[in-house]
């Protein structure tokens, strides 16, 4: 009762917040990253002046190493935009490296969705107090960050705003190189936990990064972004850190005495520290995603993080191609009033953004059309127009141009009526449509599976091919090169899909933060890049297809009923119900399914 009363009396969000407007700087020609980008573009590029370089990051070590490389080579700026940054071993090293970069004069801006900014993960906010680092929280919820009842109260009393989150993921260096895709920052995204995500992102070099920076600036300078200092004081974060370290020490003592270094939970203290392989006990990530890890981070996990090497950007194989960025407007999320309540009247249409109206691929000639379009000498390249409401809507429109083959990877897949119609129309005109998503067993959010399951039979009747990820790592074998998880996960207990990609007619690759579900369409803000390249598309297909064959259940209809066919060369058997799941879980989802609309899944 005391906790509830405290929650109800918690002050609302601050008003008259000072948000100095800043923007991405023009790349300095003498800095290492601009020099490297320009040099490689001159030597390797055959796609035109506006082309950018792309490298698909096919595993967690490569994904981690690319970010380390960007930090180490940055001289002007580092801009990070994320839905979740978890306070664990992997992120600890990244934040310490970023603090080192700030000390050598790099301007750092970190924009983080507020939803996970509670408990141990709130310690990431200490970065805001490192010199030359600025940090803002997007769409914050009022309430005590240590009191879950308080946060739940404010989420319940403004449910709509609590549901709408900034889901974008960007890691940009010197406005000339960056990494984007579906991966948040944390152990489970870098193959360093008991439960790990098969994820994918892409390294980008060249002019497209400036488009990504413009999107970052639009969010950074938005009224929904609150400087950390306006939400919490450093002394409060220091007190929280001390309390968490004390609880960890007590828990470690009861479990056999593994020591906990209190400062190791500081997420980049201003002074460098020794790299002691001490154990820590972050709580499992909350919300999306939720791996379910309950054990402490091991000495081996922390050691693996420090053993990871930065990617050699000089040798990274880049594919030069024309591309376009699609990004929701921050106004997709309503602003808040003086009492911290959402104001739906302030919501703006979520148009697609770029430095130019989105009519053609960046640098694409008028006669170089998208898949399925018939080029003419007077027509421009068909693409999503600004009349579409969101990134997901734009991609749905784009599917209408596919002529032969569509490959979709979406961990949360809730098609809805419009998407269902688009997929059916594609199959009817002869397109092979293959969709890979999570099985119920591999889904970290079982409730989200409801929205997919209610469309599953009709998708199969319409001629769509469905594949669901096998959750047991021992049955993944060599599948999913993009999901190789490194040394620490040889004993992993669970693998979950988190990649978000599309390949259209083997010509156009889409990588981004969006799921093909109603939450990404209606609630969250998202970002994606569309790359026109036969080479990149072929490389992406080569990474995905073995996973369909060797690492996924093939769902089919047999006599009107669902049948799960096991991966090739596995010891699994055919199943007639969701594999590797319990009867109580399946029954519970069936009971609550009528109560859960697609719009919140």
């Amino acid at each position: 009762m005391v906790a509830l009363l405290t929650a109800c009396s918690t002050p609302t969000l601050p008003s008259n917040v000072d948000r100095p407007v800043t923007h991405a700087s023009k790349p300095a020609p003498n800095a290492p990253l601009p020099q490297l980008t320009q040099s490689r573009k001159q030597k390797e590029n055959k796609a035109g002046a506006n082309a950018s370089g792309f490298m698909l990051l096919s595993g967690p070590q490569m994904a981690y190493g690319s970010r380390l490389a960007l930090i180490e080579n940055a001289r002007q700026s580092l801009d990070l935009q994320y839905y979740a940054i978890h306070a664990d071993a992997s992120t600890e090293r990244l934040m310490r490296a970023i603090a080192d970069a700030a000390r050598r004069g790099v301007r750092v801006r970190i924009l983080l969705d507020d939803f996970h900014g509670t408990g141990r993960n709130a310690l990431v906010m200490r970065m805001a107090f490192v010199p030359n680092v600025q940090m803002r929280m997007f769409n914050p919820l009022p309430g005590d960050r240590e009191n879950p009842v308080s946060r739940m109260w404010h989420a319940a009393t403004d449910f709509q705003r609590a549901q709408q989150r900034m889901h974008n993921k960007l890691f940009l260096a010197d406005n000339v190189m960056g990494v984007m895709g579906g991966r948040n920052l944390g152990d489970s995204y870098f193959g360093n936990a008991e439960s790990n995500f098969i994820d994918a992102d892409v390294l980008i070099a060249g002019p497209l990064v400036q488009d990504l920076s413009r999107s970052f600036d639009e969010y950074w300078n938005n009224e929904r972004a609150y400087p950390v200092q306006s939400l919490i004081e450093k002394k409060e974060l220091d007190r929280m850190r001390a309390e968490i370290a004390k609880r960890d020490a007590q828990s470690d003592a009861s479990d056999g005495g593994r020591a906990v270094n209190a400062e190791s939970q500081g997420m980049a203290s201003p002074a460098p520290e020794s790299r002691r392989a001490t154990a820590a006990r972050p709580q499992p990530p909350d919300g999306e995603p939720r791996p379910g890890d309950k054990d402490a981070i091991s000495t081996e996990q922390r050691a693996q993080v420090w053993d990871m090497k930065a990617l050699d950007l000089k040798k990274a194989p880049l594919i030069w191609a024309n591309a376009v960025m699609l990004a929701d407007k921050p106004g997709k999320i309503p602003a808040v009033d003086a009492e911290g309540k959402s104001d739906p009247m302030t919501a703006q249409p979520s148009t697609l953004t770029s430095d130019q109206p989105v009519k053609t691929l960046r640098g694409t000639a008028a006669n170089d059309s998208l898949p399925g379009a018939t080029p003419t000498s007077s027509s421009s390249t068909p693409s999503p127009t600004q009349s579409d409401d969101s990134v997901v809507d734009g991609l749905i429109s784009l599917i209408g141009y596919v002529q032969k083959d569509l490959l979709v990877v979406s961990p949360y897949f809730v098609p809805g009526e419009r998407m269902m119609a688009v997929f059916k129309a594609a199959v009817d005109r002869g397109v092979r449509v293959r969709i890979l998503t999570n099985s119920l067993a591999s889904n970290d959010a079982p409730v989200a599976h409801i929205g997919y399951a209610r469309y599953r039979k009709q998708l199969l009747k319409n001629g769509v091919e469905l594949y669901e990820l096998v959750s047991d790592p021992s049955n993944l074998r060599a599948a999913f090169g993009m999901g190789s998880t490194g040394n620490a996960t040889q004993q992993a207990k669970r693998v979950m899909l988190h990649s978000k990609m599309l390949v259209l007619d083997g010509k156009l690759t889409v990588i981004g933060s969006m799921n093909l579900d109603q939450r990404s369409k209606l609630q969250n803000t998202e970002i994606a890049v569309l790359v026109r390249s036969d080479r990149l598309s072929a490389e992406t297909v080569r990474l995905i297809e073995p996973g369909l064959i060797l690492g996924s259940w093939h769902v089919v209809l047999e006599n009107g009923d669902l049948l799960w066919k096991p991966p090739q060369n596995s010891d699994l058997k055919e199943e007639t119900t969701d594999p590797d799941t319990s009867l109580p879980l399946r029954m519970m989802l069936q009971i609550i399914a009528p109560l859960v609309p697609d719009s919140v899944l």
Side-chain angles (χ1 to χ4, degrees):
M1 180 63 69
V2 171
L4 181 59
L5 292 174
T6 303
C8 297
S9 61
T10 302
T12 57
L13 293 174
S15 57
N16 301 319
V17 175
D18 183 22
R19 298 181 182 86
V21 174
T22 58
H23 296 91
S25 303
K26 184 177 180 180
N30 296 327
L33 292 179
Q35 280 189 331
L36 176 61
T37 300
Q38 185 62 26
S39 173
R40 293 199 57 177
K41 186 173 182 178
Q42 290 176 349
K43 294 177 181 178
E44 305 167 15
N45 172 42
K46 297 181 181 178
N50 289 320
S52 297
F54 299 89
M55 176 187 177
L56 189 63
L57 300 173
S58 59
Q61 294 190 35
M62 194 176 294
Y64 198 85
S66 64
R67 289 166 171 83
L68 283 178
L70 293 178
I71 296 170
E72 292 178 2
N73 288 279
R75 296 296 180 269
Q76 289 179 279
S77 64
L78 286 167
D79 291 334
L80 280 66
Q81 181 179 10
Y82 278 94
Y83 168 68
I85 300 178
H86 298 296
D88 53 28
S90 297
T91 304
E92 177 190 342
R93 184 183 177 190
L94 288 176
M95 295 299 111
R96 289 177 185 273
I98 289 172
D100 289 340
R103 281 189 285 273
R104 68 172 184 262
V106 176
R107 183 193 69 177
V108 178
R109 297 184 296 176
I110 301 174
L111 181 60
L112 178 62
D113 184 86
D114 183 76
F115 191 75
H116 292 273
T118 60
R120 186 184 303 271
N121 290 332
L123 298 183
V124 177
M125 299 168 71
R126 291 185 71 245
M127 288 294 295
F129 300 94
V130 175
N132 217 26
V133 175
Q134 304 167 54
M135 186 173 184
R136 296 181 181 179
M137 307 299 287
F138 198 86
N139 193 26
L141 289 170
D144 186 348
R145 294 180 182 273
E146 289 185 284
N147 185 347
V149 176
S150 174
R151 296 281 285 193
M152 288 172 60
W153 170 264
H154 288 281
T157 55
D158 194 1
F159 179 78
Q160 183 62 28
R161 186 169 67 89
Q163 288 291 303
Q164 294 177 302
R165 310 315 313 171
M166 182 190 74
H167 202 234
N168 313 40
K169 287 103 174 173
L170 293 175
F171 200 114
L172 309 176
D174 287 352
N175 199 13
V176 73
M177 275 195 180
V179 172
M180 69 86 63
R183 198 181 310 260
N184 292 300
L185 300 183
D187 281 341
S188 55
Y189 297 95
F190 296 113
N192 203 21
E194 273 195 355
S195 297
N196 292 288
F197 291 94
I198 293 177
D199 221 322
D201 35 28
V202 62
L203 174 69
I204 305 173
L208 186 66
V209 175
Q210 296 179 39
D211 292 346
L212 299 175
S213 291
R214 275 186 280 271
S215 176
F216 177 92
D217 287 346
E218 190 169 10
Y219 280 80
W220 178 260
N221 294 313
N222 190 271
E223 62 181 327
R224 297 156 183 82
Y226 285 71
V228 166
Q229 288 84 347
S230 70
L231 300 173
I232 192 168
E233 296 182 357
K234 183 177 184 296
K235 63 181 181 181
E236 182 65 13
L237 289 170
D238 289 341
R239 185 193 63 76
M240 290 174 61
R241 183 184 64 178
E243 288 293 326
I244 289 171
K246 181 179 179 181
R247 292 198 301 266
D248 286 345
Q250 292 172 346
S251 179
D252 284 336
S254 65
D255 285 350
R258 284 193 291 181
V260 172
N261 176 7
E263 188 62 32
S264 71
Q265 303 304 321
M267 305 306 297
S269 133
E273 297 178 13
S274 62
R275 301 173 181 175
R276 289 171 286 183
T278 55
R281 287 185 175 272
Q283 296 299 317
D286 191 19
E288 187 264 354
R290 186 177 183 84
D293 293 354
K294 297 181 179 179
D295 296 333
I297 292 177
S298 67
T299 300
E300 290 75 16
Q301 284 176 304
R302 179 156 289 163
Q304 175 173 316
V305 169
W306 288 106
D307 285 343
M308 285 190 182
K309 302 296 188 294
L311 184 70
D312 188 344
L313 297 175
K314 295 180 181 179
K315 297 179 180 179
L318 296 177
I319 296 173
W320 296 89
N322 295 308
V324 69
M325 174 201 75
L326 308 184
D328 286 332
K329 293 280 191 180
K332 185 177 181 180
I333 295 176
V336 298
D337 60 22
E339 296 182 355
K341 304 297 184 184
S342 61
D343 182 3
M345 298 302 292
T346 65
Q348 305 166 4
S350 291
T351 55
L352 309 177
T353 62
S354 181
D355 57 327
Q356 301 291 333
V358 181
K359 295 181 180 179
T360 62
L361 294 179
R362 185 182 182 99
T364 302
N367 62 352
D368 187 12
S369 60
L370 291 178
T374 302
T376 66
S377 58
S378 60
S379 66
S380 61
T381 301
S383 74
T385 65
Q386 294 215 41
S387 63
D388 285 309
D389 290 333
S390 69
V391 168
V392 173
D393 284 315
L395 296 179
I396 295 172
S397 297
L398 192 64
I399 292 171
Y401 293 106
V402 181
Q403 290 182 324
K404 297 179 180 179
D405 187 85
L406 173 64
L407 183 56
V408 175
V409 180
S410 181
Y412 312 101
F413 180 56
V414 184
E417 293 184 6
R418 183 188 174 196
M419 214 180 302
M420 289 289 288
V422 169
F423 285 132
K424 185 178 186 303
V427 174
D428 289 346
R429 65 175 179 269
V431 177
R432 184 187 187 189
V433 179
R434 292 175 291 172
I435 297 174
L436 171 64
T437 190
N438 274 306
S439 63
L440 177 55
S442 69
N443 200 322
D444 66 294
V447 174
H449 193 78
I450 292 173
Y452 160 63
R454 61 173 53 129
Y455 292 99
R456 189 160 44 190
K457 277 193 176 181
Q458 190 59 49
L459 284 164
L460 293 172
K461 290 178 181 178
N462 291 346
V464 173
E465 299 178 37
L466 292 180
Y467 295 85
E468 297 179 4
L469 184 74
V470 171
S471 63
D472 184 354
S474 64
N475 284 297
L476 285 174
R477 301 183 186 277
F480 295 110
M482 64 181 180
S484 303
T485 50
N487 297 328
T489 54
Q490 291 177 354
Q491 299 179 358
K493 296 180 180 178
R494 189 182 183 207
V495 175
M496 300 156 289
L497 185 67
H498 202 254
S499 310
K500 304 100 165 44
M501 299 186 293
L502 295 84
V503 182
L504 298 83
D505 279 342
K507 297 178 181 296
L508 192 70
T509 299
V510 181
I511 300 176
S513 66
M514 71 289 145
N515 297 291
L516 290 189
D517 65 2
Q518 301 306 298
R519 176 171 291 278
S520 285
K521 178 181 176 180
L522 302 173
Q523 307 280 5
N524 296 339
T525 66
E526 308 287 358
I527 191 166
V529 294
L530 283 64
V531 186
R532 170 178 286 284
S533 168
D534 293 359
R535 283 183 59 199
L536 186 65
S537 295
E539 185 176 310
T540 305
V541 170
R542 282 196 298 270
L543 288 171
I544 297 171
E545 282 189 335
L548 302 181
I549 299 169
L550 302 174
S552 301
W553 298 95
H554 184 196
V555 188
V556 299
L557 280 177
E558 189 169 282
N559 299 322
D561 295 322
L562 294 174
L563 178 68
W564 283 260
K565 292 189 173 183
Q568 291 183 14
N569 304 324
S570 74
D571 55 0
L572 299 172
K573 307 299 181 182
E574 288 186 352
E575 300 281 354
T576 56
T577 57
D578 289 280
D580 301 322
T581 60
S582 66
L583 178 61
L585 173 62
R586 297 195 299 270
M587 291 182 62
M588 181 192 70
L589 294 182
Q590 289 180 359
I591 292 171
I592 67 174
L595 307 175
V596 185
D598 287 352
S599 60
V600 299
L601 297 175

